Amino acid sequence: MELTKEMIAQLASLARLEFNEEETLRIQDDLARMISFVEKLGELDTTGVEPLLHMTEIRNNLRDDLPRGSMDRQAALSIAPDADQQYFYVPKVIKK
């Protein structure tokens, strides 16, 4: 597949990227090598090869979701850096 500068410009536009002339040439070369690699993979004989669905035999290796108790309010407030008897105080993060 022949990659032209116009194709690179169109891809850059779609991705909202801007390239100078040097970067365009480098991107064009990189994409050409990637496409060549994928085309080379297409030449392999995969007859009888099952598609790979998972990288390992382990599937859904998740712990059981069990309800547990949590820290009560007074204990949490007592270890907070800035709090009173009812609220946690945090630094302001939204400025007008």
Side-chain angles (χ1 to χ4, degrees):
M1 173 180 205
E2 181 70 27
L3 284 173
T4 64
K5 288 184 182 180
E6 291 78 24
M7 293 171 84
I8 302 299
Q10 183 181 9
L11 288 172
S13 174
L14 290 171
R16 307 277 194 263
L17 298 172
E18 293 180 12
F19 300 121
N20 61 31
E21 188 66 29
E22 180 184 322
E23 292 169 329
T24 301
L25 292 173
R26 196 171 64 227
I27 296 284
Q28 186 175 3
D29 182 52
D30 288 347
L31 284 174
R33 286 187 295 140
M34 287 182 223
I35 291 171
S36 171
F37 177 74
V38 171
E39 288 173 346
K40 191 76 160 170
L41 290 175
E43 296 173 8
L44 293 174
D45 179 20
T46 57
T47 306
V49 177
E50 292 290 322
L52 181 64
L53 299 176
H54 299 280
M55 294 303 293
T56 66
E57 296 297 320
I58 300 172
R59 295 188 188 146
N60 296 330
N61 190 14
L62 305 173
R63 64 174 171 78
D64 291 334
D65 191 13
L66 303 173
R68 293 190 238 173
S70 60
M71 185 181 291
D72 69 354
R73 177 185 292 240
Q74 290 309 316
L77 288 168
S78 71
I79 61 172
D82 191 11
D84 62 15
Q85 295 300 315
Q86 191 172 5
Y87 301 106
F88 296 98
Y89 294 104
V90 296
K92 186 175 185 177
V93 293
I94 299 176
K95 297 177 182 166
K96 291 185 180 184

